[in-house]
Amino acid sequence: MIFEPQFESMPRPRMRELQEQRLHDIVRYVYERVPFYREQFDAAGIRPDSVCSLDDLPRLPITRKTDLRDHYPFGLFAVPTSDVSRIHASSGTTGKPTVVGYTRKDLDLFARVVARCLAMAGAEPGMILHNSYGYGLFTGGLGLHAGGELLGMAVVPVSGGMTERQITLLTDFRPEVIASTPSYALTLAQEFHQRGILPEEISLRFAVLGAEPWTDSMRRQVDTSLGVQATNIYGLSEVIGPGVSNECVEARNGSHVNEDHFLPEVVDPATGETLPEGKEGVLVFTTLTKQALPLIRYWTGDIASLHSEPCRCGRTLARMSLIKGRTDDMLIVRGVNVYPSQVESVLGRMPELTPHYRIIVSREATLDSVEVQVEVTDDFFRIVGSEVLSDDIVETHQLLRQLRDRIAYLIKDSMGVSMQVTLVAPGTVPRSEGGKLQRVVDRRALR
Ligand code: DLL
């Protein structure tokens, strides 16, 4: 079902008109209400009323996370805190969190766009939603919650963690839909497997997975191990939270962006130049209708491409590819740019491996070196019959040695850099306990 067909299936020329009208209004709004934007526009010689077309976008200044940090906590809000109904924050790895605010109307919008996303994912009124996203300052839990309720679902606010209890509730309440990070969906799948519960015995039909990067090979794992159709949900706190885009279950080929509210662009990370459709670059969003924290050309750091060909689901909303990585996740190994998702794509092609891996980056003298640690499957592990996969065991066991060398070869072949590959025993790579999973361990910073 399409939750708001009048917008989601709007003819594209009409969508452009709507976006242009809203862009004009929001530029005026921020100019009048947010000193930061007034100064930026004045310095660039931009008169707000002159912004009437999407072609004017490249003239507007980019907003970055550092701008939010520099105006911590509420300095970029366009309304007084007395008009704010809720505050969320995303924890930065360093320093202060990024703080975001919502008026009552923003919260209604938040629920509407998430309801759209859930419907895109296959959810329908009357179904039960098991919501494993964390409740609290993180936008995932409360965001999915309100969207589910608005769609007419019964929402189970489990939050992240306490996997035992999640399995009990999933078994007893028999929800059709689960919302979680992709890595946590795999943690749950593994728990079911260990209890001898088969995918066809699990009530789930649809999984709405996001908040961290994942790949098509991981999707296949989730689909088969939980017996679901998994779709990608994307978003970020600054733009709204979850609800910026979602794949439709009909095509599962790119996430439909709610572009009547969040205007997407893809720009070249090096030059800042706007890129044409289909080209990969950094996603930049302008919020068209938010009141408390409107943002002009917000630099997400996420790498993706945009496409607007018709979709078989009947929606006309443009689609974004899966996120390839973040500009700040990018590793430069001997001059070559590498994203963790590229490594994951190689590993995902091999049936002897589980989706559990991590990448350890270290520095010897001036050279960065990368080690990929990946777990083999239980079946494959049985052939070695050891407690651990030490280097000695791998060296002496022909099948293991061949597997390790094949992975190293494919990595080198597809990415152009050599990485050390270490095979590890099942269950040894840290799992998601509900939150976002950190797959890259950067030991360079520790030196
Ligand atoms: O992660 C919002 C969210 C909650 C999205 C639940 C989806 C589901 P933040 O904590 O502010 O907000 O983190 C935003 O997470 O810039 C991306 O780098 C990453 N991210 C979010 N969704 C995806 C996704 C929430 N589907 C940051 N694929 C973003 C890849 C994602 N990365």
Side-chain angles (χ1 to χ4, degrees):
M1 94 178 245
I2 302 184
F3 186 67
E4 290 188 311
Q6 69 278 32
F7 295 107
E8 295 175 69
S9 302
M10 187 179 261
R12 291 201 61 78
R14 172 75 194 97
M15 175 61 78
R16 188 179 167 111
E17 273 173 41
L18 181 68
Q19 289 171 327
E20 292 189 329
Q21 179 59 50
R22 289 182 169 175
L23 176 66
H24 176 83
D25 294 348
I26 201 74
V27 164
R28 180 101 257 112
Y29 179 85
V30 297
Y31 188 83
E32 282 166 3
R33 289 170 174 255
V34 186
F36 165 78
Y37 279 120
R38 186 170 324 130
E39 284 159 25
Q40 294 262 321
F41 286 18
D42 285 348
I46 299 163
R47 280 184 304 102
D49 279 335
S50 71
V51 179
C52 307
S53 150
L54 298 191
D55 299 332
D56 293 321
L57 269 175
R59 291 201 288 134
L60 303 179
I62 295 274
T63 311
R64 291 174 188 273
K65 207 182 193 71
T66 46
D67 295 319
L68 282 161
R69 296 253 167 85
D70 292 347
H71 295 84
Y72 175 85
F74 307 138
L76 293 194
F77 284 16
V79 298
T81 41
S82 53
D83 288 349
V84 171
S85 296
R86 197 195 294 164
I87 293 167
H88 279 287
S90 65
S91 53
T93 37
T94 51
K96 303 268 194 202
T98 307
V99 180
V100 299
Y102 304 77
T103 62
R104 191 57 255 166
K105 193 159 162 261
D106 292 336
L107 289 177
D108 290 345
L109 167 69
F110 193 5
R112 270 170 55 202
V113 290
V114 173
R116 285 186 191 182
C117 289
L118 284 164
M120 290 179 199
E124 285 176 20
M127 290 183 175
I128 298 180
L129 170 64
H130 180 100
N131 185 10
S132 301
Y133 284 116
Y135 282 66
L137 283 178
F138 177 53
T139 51
L142 287 167
L144 265 294
H145 187 103
E149 284 187 351
L150 183 64
L151 183 63
M153 306 180 78
V155 184
V156 187
V158 206
S159 198
M162 298 214 267
T163 306
E164 284 274 317
R165 194 179 64 176
Q166 306 243 0
I167 299 291
T168 306
L169 298 182
L170 284 163
T171 312
D172 296 346
F173 294 0
R174 301 196 61 74
E176 292 89 349
V177 186
I178 184 168
S180 75
T181 58
S183 54
Y184 196 57
L186 286 176
T187 299
L188 292 171
Q190 189 178 326
E191 282 296 318
F192 276 120
H193 180 71
Q194 275 165 4
R195 287 170 163 74
I197 300 173
L198 300 173
E200 51 272 28
E201 293 170 321
I202 303 170
S203 61
L204 293 171
R205 294 171 54 199
F206 306 106
V208 194
L209 310 182
E212 63 187 16
W214 58 308
T215 54
D216 278 323
S217 65
M218 214 163 146
R219 186 206 304 272
R220 285 191 288 278
Q221 293 271 353
V222 174
D223 279 5
T224 48
S225 60
L226 286 178
V228 293
Q229 284 181 289
T231 56
N232 180 51
I233 182 164
Y234 168 82
L236 61 165
S237 317
E238 299 90 312
V239 173
I240 192 118
V244 173
S245 70
N246 207 106
E247 284 170 332
C248 59
V249 72
E250 292 87 347
R252 297 205 287 175
N253 180 19
S255 304
H256 288 285
V257 180
N258 284 312
E259 53 175 333
D260 46 336
H261 298 289
F262 316 116
L263 180 62
E265 293 172 85
V266 171
V267 305
D268 184 320
T271 64
E273 194 189 321
T274 308
L275 295 174
E277 201 175 300
K279 289 271 183 260
E280 199 168 75
V282 173
L283 280 170
V284 166
F285 285 99
T286 298
T287 66
L288 293 175
T289 51
K290 267 197 331 170
Q291 291 181 325
L293 184 63
L295 291 174
I296 305 294
R297 303 194 78 207
Y298 187 72
W299 180 277
T300 64
D302 296 322
I303 309 282
S305 54
L306 281 171
H307 307 263
S308 64
E309 315 85 66
C311 182
R312 78 168 86 116
C313 70
R315 290 179 185 83
T316 52
L317 298 172
R319 282 175 280 174
M320 51 180 262
S321 64
L322 283 179
I323 302 289
K324 185 166 172 192
R326 294 182 47 79
T327 41
D328 41 12
D329 278 350
M330 190 181 76
L331 301 167
I332 305 182
V333 188
R334 280 169 226 117
V336 181
N337 301 351
V338 181
Y339 291 99
S341 63
Q342 291 173 288
V343 176
E344 186 172 323
S345 297
V346 170
L347 304 178
R349 280 189 253 151
M350 264 165 278
E352 301 91 340
L353 302 177
T354 70
H356 304 290
Y357 73 97
R358 59 182 185 160
I359 298 174
I360 298 171
V361 192
S362 46
R363 181 166 293 165
E364 283 144 35
T366 53
L367 276 191
D368 289 345
S369 68
V370 180
E371 177 191 354
V372 178
Q373 291 186 348
V374 58
E375 280 179 17
V376 298
T377 58
D378 283 326
D379 285 348
F380 200 75
F381 190 55
R382 253 175 244 127
I383 59 172
V384 224
S386 163
E387 301 272 291
V388 284
L389 289 184
S390 69
D391 285 347
D392 292 348
I393 294 172
V394 175
E395 270 317 320
T396 48
H397 208 292
Q398 199 195 358
L399 272 182
L400 286 170
R401 207 173 57 236
Q402 281 173 353
L403 175 63
R404 183 198 59 192
D405 294 348
R406 191 151 46 95
I407 300 168
Y409 170 79
L410 288 174
I411 287 179
K412 170 92 195 188
D413 191 48
S414 68
M415 276 164 266
V417 280
S418 304
M419 297 184 188
Q420 183 195 331
V421 175
T422 309
L423 299 176
V424 296
T428 50
V429 169
R431 298 291 196 269
S432 164
E433 287 168 14
K436 299 189 192 225
L437 188 64
Q438 200 56 42
R439 291 196 187 273
V440 179
V441 184
D442 194 342
R443 300 222 165 109
R444 290 173 300 187
L446 303 176
R447 295 169 65 96

